[in-house]
C-alpha cells in the first residue's frame, strides 16, 4: 500500500460527501471528495512533466493546500510543505537540501511574502484550478471516469506505477526552535500507520467535523488535520491560519466544528478573542506540539464545556505517540497512553543506560509511525537512534504504573547548574503566578540558559513587561524557589518570539540573551 492508493480509494468512497468547506473568503467554498480528487489528479499530470522527485508547496490549509499536496502525491513525487515564517537563510538551506526547484503557490502568497527565496519555476494553483474548471469537457470526463470507471482512471493517471511502501512519501522540516531545521523523511508506512493509530483511538466518528487551519508544514496540520480526515471520512472546515482568529472563529461557528485542533499558543488566542457562542458545537479540543497549562485545560472545560484532550508527538513520529481519551483514558498532567503499536523506554541523560519502568529519563520510542532518519544527515541520524534502533527524542519523561505518559520537559529546556538540572518551564510558570498573569491566556516571559565561566551555565529571563530584578528575586525566594533556579539576569524585549508552529522561538531567544550579556 502507498499513500496515493490509500487516498484515491478513500476519496472514491462516498464521492459526493463534502470533504472541505473553506472559509478563506467572504463566501465559504465547499467541495466534495470527488471534485477534490479530480482536480488533484489533473494537477498530477502537469507535475509528471518535471524531472525533480520533490516539489515545494507554499499554500494555506484548506482547498488550495489539499489539492496541491494531493496533486504532488498522485504524481508519484514527494511533497515538501514550506514554512514561510522562518528566516531566509534557514529556508534557502532547506530548499537546497531538498533540491527543490519548483514551488506550487499562489500569486497572493507570493505578494504576502516578498522576501521568501522564490525559485524561478512556480505554479499558480489558483490559476490552474480556474483553467481546469474552464475546460469543461476534460473536467467532466475526469469526473465520469472516476465515478463509473475508477480502475481505468487509476491506470490512466499512472497511480499503478507508484511503488508501495516507499521509504520517502513526504518530507517535512522540523520547526528549528533550537537549531537549524532538519529534513524528516516520512514513509508511506509511517503516515498510514499513524492515521490508523488515530482511528483506533475510537474517539473520532466518520462525518465528524474537524477544524483544519494548522499550517501544512507542521506534522500536526498535515497528518492529523489533513491526511487523517481524508482517509477516514471526517469533514474538514478550514481557515487560512490559526492566527487569523476572525476567520477561524467564523469557521468554527458557522461550520459547526466538533473537533478543534491546536497548539496551546493558538488555543489561548481563541479564548482571548472568542465567546461561548463561538464554541457551542465543539466536543473535543485536541492539543499538541507543546505542553498545555492546567489552567488552560480547565478554562476550556469549565467555561466552554469542551473535553480538552492533550496528546504528544513529534515530526519524526508522524506525529502521534500518545493521547488522552475521555473518562478513564485521561489523567491530569499526562499526555495520555501510548497509541497502538508504540513502544517506549527511558534512558539516563548522563550515560544512556536503560532505566527501570516509571523512572524519569530521556524518552525513546519505536513503532511503525517512527521515521527512519533525517535527510542526508548521517551525523544527526547517529545521535537520533540507539544502536538497537530506538528513536531518542531529547524529551524527558516517564510512564506511570497505569500506562500514562508524563512529559517533564525538553532536555534543551533544562540548564545544568552546580550539578543540578534546572527546568526553565517551571521557573516561567512560577513567575507568571507571582506577577498574577494568567498563563492560560498570555505569556510574557521565557527563560534560557547561556554559557557562564563560573558555573557553566547562567539563567537569563527575557520579559516583554518591565520587571525589577531585586523585587522579583525576593518574591521567588519567599515562594520557596531554590537559589540556583532564580535567573541572575533580566532582559526586557518587545515581545516573546514564537515560530509559525506556535512554539517558542528558542534560537532567537538565546541570541537575544547572548547579545545583551555581551554588553555587560
Amino acid at each position: 500500500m502507498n499513500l496515493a492508493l490509500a487516498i484515491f480509494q478513500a476519496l472514491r468512497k462516498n464521492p459526493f460527501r463534502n470533504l472541505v468547506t473553506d472559509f478563506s473568503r467572504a463566501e465559504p467554498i465547499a467541495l466534495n471528495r470527488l471534485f477534490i480528487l479530480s482536480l488533484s489528479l489533473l494537477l498530477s499530470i502537469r507535475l509528471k512533466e518535471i524531472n525533480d522527485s520533490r516539489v515545494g508547496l507554499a499554500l494555506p490549509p484548506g482547498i488550495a493546500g489539499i489539492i496541491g499536496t494531493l496533486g504532488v502525491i498522485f504524481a508519484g513525487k514527494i511533497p515538501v510543505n514550506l514554512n514561510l515564517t522562518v528566516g531566509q537563510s534557514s529556508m534557502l538551506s532547506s530548499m537546497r537540501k531538498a533540491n527543490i526547484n519548483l514551488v506550487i503557490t499562489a500569486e497572493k502568497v507570493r505578494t504576502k511574502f516578498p522576501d521568501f527565496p522564490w525559485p524561478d519555476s512556480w505554479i499558480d494553483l489558483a490559476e490552474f484550478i480556474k483553467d481546469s474548471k474552464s475546460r469543461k469537457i476534460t473536467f467532466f470526463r475526469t469526473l465520469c471516469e472516476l465515478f463509473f470507471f475508477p480502475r481505468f482512471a487509476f491506470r490512466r493517471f499512472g497511480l499503478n506505477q507508484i511503488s508501495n511502501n516507499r521509504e520517502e512519501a513526504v518530507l517535512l522540516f522540523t520547526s528549528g526552535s533550537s537549531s537549524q531545521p532538519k529534513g524528516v523523511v516520512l514513509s508511506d508506512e509511517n503516515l498510514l500507520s499513524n492515521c490508523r493509530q488515530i482511528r483506533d483511538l475510537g474517539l473520532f466518528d466518520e462525518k465528524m467535523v474537524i477544524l483544519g487551519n494548522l499550517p501544512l508544514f507542521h506534522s500536526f496540520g498535515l497528518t492529523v488535520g489533513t491526511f487523517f480526515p481524508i482517509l477516514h471520512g471526517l469533514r474538514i472546515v478550514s481557515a487560512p491560519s490559526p492566527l487569523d482568529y476572525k476567520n477561524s472563529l467564523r469557521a468554527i461557528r458557522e461550520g459547526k466544528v466538533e473537533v478543534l485542533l491546536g497548539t496551546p499558543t493558538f488555543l489561548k488566542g481563541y479564548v482571548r478573542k472568542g465567546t461561548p457562542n463561538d464554541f457551542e458545537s465543539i466536543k473535543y479540543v485536541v492539543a499538541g506540539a507543546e505542553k498545555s497549562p492546567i489552567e488552560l485545560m480547565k478554562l476550556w472545560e469549565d467555561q466552554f464545556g469542551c473535553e480538552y484532550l492533550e496528546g504528544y508527538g513529534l515530526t519524526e513520529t508522524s506525529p502521534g505517540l500518545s493521547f488522552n481519551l475521555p473518562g478513564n483514558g485521561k489523567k491530569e498532567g499526562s499526555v495520555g497512553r501510548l497509541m497502538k503499536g508504540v513502544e517506549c523506554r527511558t534512558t539516563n541523560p548522563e550515560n544512556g543506560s536503560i532505566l527501570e519502568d516509571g523512572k524519569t529519563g530521556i524518552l525513546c520510542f519505536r513503532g511503525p509511525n517512527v521515521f527512519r532518519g533525517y535527510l542526508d544527515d548521517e551525523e544527526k541520524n547517529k545521535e537520533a537512534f540507539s544502536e538497537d534502533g530506538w528513536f531518542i527524542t531529547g524529551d524527558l519523561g516517564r510512564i506511570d504504573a497505569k500506562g500514562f505518559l508524563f512529559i517533564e520537559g525538553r532536555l534543551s529546556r533544562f540548564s545544568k547548574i552546580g550539578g543540578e538540572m534546572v527546568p526553565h518551564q517551571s521557573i516561567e510558570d512560577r513567575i507568571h503566578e507571582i506577577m498574577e498573569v494568567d498563563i492560560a491566556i498570555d505569556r510574557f516571559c521565557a527563560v534560557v540558559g547561556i554559557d557562564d565561566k563560573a558555573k557553566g551555565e547562567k539563567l537569563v529571563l527575557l520579559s516583554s513587561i518591565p520587571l525589577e530584578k531585586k523585587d522579583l528575586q525576593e518574591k521567588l525566594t519567599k515562594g520557596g524557589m531554590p537559589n540556583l533556579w532564580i535567573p541572575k539576569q533580566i532582559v526586557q524585549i518587545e515581545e516573546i518570539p514564537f515560530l509559525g508552529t506556535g512554539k517558542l522561538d528558542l534560537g532567537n531567544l538565546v541570541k537575544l540573551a547572548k547579545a545583551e550579556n555581551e554588553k555587560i
Side-chain angles (χ1 to χ4, degrees):
M1 179 68 78
N2 59 53
L3 195 58
L5 173 58
I7 290 173
F8 180 88
Q9 291 177 338
L11 292 177
R12 268 279 304 132
K13 184 181 178 182
N14 300 312
F16 300 113
R17 181 188 293 175
N18 175 271
L19 173 63
V20 56
T21 303
D22 194 319
F23 280 81
S24 60
R25 298 185 180 185
E27 191 65 33
I29 301 172
L31 294 183
N32 64 35
R33 300 171 78 84
L34 185 65
F35 214 84
I36 290 286
L37 178 58
S38 300
L39 288 170
S40 302
L41 286 168
L42 290 171
L43 176 61
S44 75
I45 293 176
R46 182 167 176 182
L47 294 174
K48 285 178 182 178
E49 297 172 359
I50 68 168
N51 295 322
D52 297 338
S53 62
R54 300 187 188 96
V55 177
L57 296 113
L59 293 164
I63 289 174
I66 292 171
I67 292 174
T69 301
L70 297 192
V72 177
I73 291 170
F74 289 147
K77 298 185 184 296
I78 297 125
V80 187
N81 280 282
L82 302 170
N83 183 353
L84 303 184
T85 65
V86 301
Q88 190 176 82
S89 62
S90 293
M91 182 47 59
L92 281 169
S93 172
S94 298
M95 291 176 71
R96 278 196 295 266
K97 198 164 194 175
N99 193 29
I100 292 173
N101 299 302
L102 172 72
V103 171
I104 304 173
T105 185
E107 184 59 46
K108 285 184 178 179
V109 179
R110 284 171 59 93
T111 302
K112 187 175 179 180
F113 295 93
D115 296 329
F116 183 81
W118 299 104
D120 294 333
S121 298
W122 66 287
I123 293 175
D124 188 328
L125 188 65
E127 287 299 315
F128 172 82
I129 293 174
K130 183 179 178 182
D131 183 58
S132 297
K133 288 181 179 179
S134 69
R135 298 180 183 181
K136 294 182 180 179
I137 295 176
T138 301
F139 191 61
F140 182 70
R141 175 193 169 191
T142 303
L143 289 170
C144 290
E145 282 181 1
L146 288 168
F147 186 71
F148 294 107
F149 310 105
R151 291 184 180 179
F152 174 77
F154 188 80
R155 291 192 301 273
R156 183 167 85 85
F157 285 100
L159 301 186
N160 59 322
Q161 298 173 12
I162 300 174
S163 302
N164 286 328
N165 298 321
R166 295 166 300 164
E167 289 191 9
E168 184 178 1
V170 164
L171 179 66
L172 288 171
F173 281 90
T174 59
S175 60
S177 59
S178 56
S179 63
Q180 282 292 319
K182 299 184 289 287
V184 177
V185 178
L186 296 176
S187 67
D188 287 311
E189 182 188 16
N190 292 153
L191 294 160
L192 293 173
S193 294
N194 204 223
C195 288
R196 286 193 296 269
Q197 288 165 328
I198 297 169
R199 178 203 64 193
D200 289 344
L201 293 171
L203 183 69
F204 306 109
D205 298 328
E206 272 200 8
K207 300 183 183 180
M208 255 187 170
V209 184
I210 191 168
L211 181 67
N213 69 345
L214 294 176
L216 300 185
F217 58 75
H218 194 291
S219 57
F220 195 7
L222 186 64
T223 301
V224 186
T226 307
F227 289 150
F228 172 68
I230 288 173
L231 290 168
H232 296 290
L234 284 77
R235 184 161 68 86
I236 301 169
V237 167
S238 72
S241 166
L243 294 174
D244 182 352
Y245 295 116
K246 182 179 179 181
N247 268 326
S248 292
L249 289 169
R250 181 170 73 105
I252 293 168
R253 186 176 60 252
E254 296 179 16
K256 300 192 183 304
V257 169
E258 297 168 273
V259 181
L260 176 58
L261 304 179
T263 69
T265 296
F266 299 144
L267 294 170
K268 291 173 187 177
Y270 296 136
V271 170
R272 285 196 301 267
K273 303 287 185 178
T275 65
N277 181 56
D278 292 318
F279 308 120
E280 280 185 354
S281 62
I282 300 291
K283 292 181 180 178
Y284 306 122
V285 173
V286 176
E290 56 178 339
K291 189 173 178 62
S292 293
I294 298 296
E295 297 82 3
L296 180 63
M297 298 182 189
K298 291 180 178 178
L299 194 155
W300 273 100
E301 294 189 338
D302 297 343
Q303 188 169 328
F304 302 120
C306 311
E307 187 88 47
Y308 193 107
L309 303 171
E310 186 176 17
Y312 169 68
L314 300 151
T315 305
E316 292 89 341
T317 59
S318 307
L321 286 166
S322 69
F323 196 69
N324 272 299
L325 292 169
N328 293 331
K330 185 177 179 182
K331 195 167 188 179
E332 187 174 292
S334 85
V335 288
R337 292 189 174 101
L338 298 179
M339 290 182 176
K340 188 175 180 180
V342 175
E343 297 177 86
C344 176
R345 74 183 187 191
T346 58
T347 60
N348 189 312
E350 299 291 337
N351 56 30
S353 61
I354 300 170
L355 299 173
E356 296 177 10
D357 292 345
K359 297 290 185 180
T360 296
I362 295 179
L363 293 167
C364 305
F365 296 96
R366 65 181 180 187
N369 56 312
V370 178
F371 85 138
R372 296 177 186 174
Y374 297 109
L375 178 67
D376 299 332
D377 201 330
E378 190 174 338
E379 185 179 336
K380 291 292 184 186
N381 287 334
K382 286 181 180 178
E383 295 174 4
F385 291 92
S386 65
E387 291 183 0
D388 53 350
W390 289 74
F391 171 53
I392 305 165
T393 67
D395 287 338
L396 292 170
R398 61 183 174 86
I399 293 182
D400 72 6
K402 294 188 176 180
F404 285 95
L405 176 61
F406 291 81
I407 307 298
E408 308 296 345
R410 186 85 183 151
L411 191 59
S412 61
R413 294 232 66 209
F414 282 75
S415 291
K416 192 165 186 178
I417 303 174
E420 182 179 339
M421 296 294 285
V422 180
H424 300 172
Q425 175 95 44
S426 299
I427 300 169
E428 293 163 359
D429 292 349
R430 185 66 186 121
I431 293 172
H432 277 91
E433 288 176 19
I434 286 173
M435 299 305 296
E436 297 182 344
V437 173
D438 190 351
I439 197 170
I441 305 296
D442 202 4
R443 183 182 198 134
F444 73 85
C445 73
V447 173
V448 297
I450 63 174
D451 292 339
D452 180 71
K453 291 179 181 179
K455 293 191 177 181
E457 215 171 339
K458 176 174 72 171
L459 295 179
V460 178
L461 173 68
L462 297 101
S463 173
S464 60
I465 64 173
L467 292 174
E468 206 285 308
K469 180 180 173 182
K470 186 177 179 181
D471 179 58
L472 179 65
Q473 289 177 337
E474 287 178 357
K475 288 179 178 178
L476 290 172
T477 300
K478 286 180 181 178
M481 183 173 283
N483 186 54
L484 281 177
W485 290 31
I486 298 175
K488 300 301 183 282
Q489 185 179 349
I490 297 176
V491 177
Q492 187 170 343
I493 56 178
E494 192 171 324
E495 62 180 359
I496 300 296
F498 288 91
L499 297 167
T501 56
K503 295 181 181 179
L504 277 175
D505 187 348
L506 296 176
N508 197 14
L509 284 165
V510 170
K511 283 181 183 178
L512 291 169
K514 286 182 176 178
E516 192 65 28
N517 189 62
E518 288 173 1
K519 296 177 183 178
I520 299 175

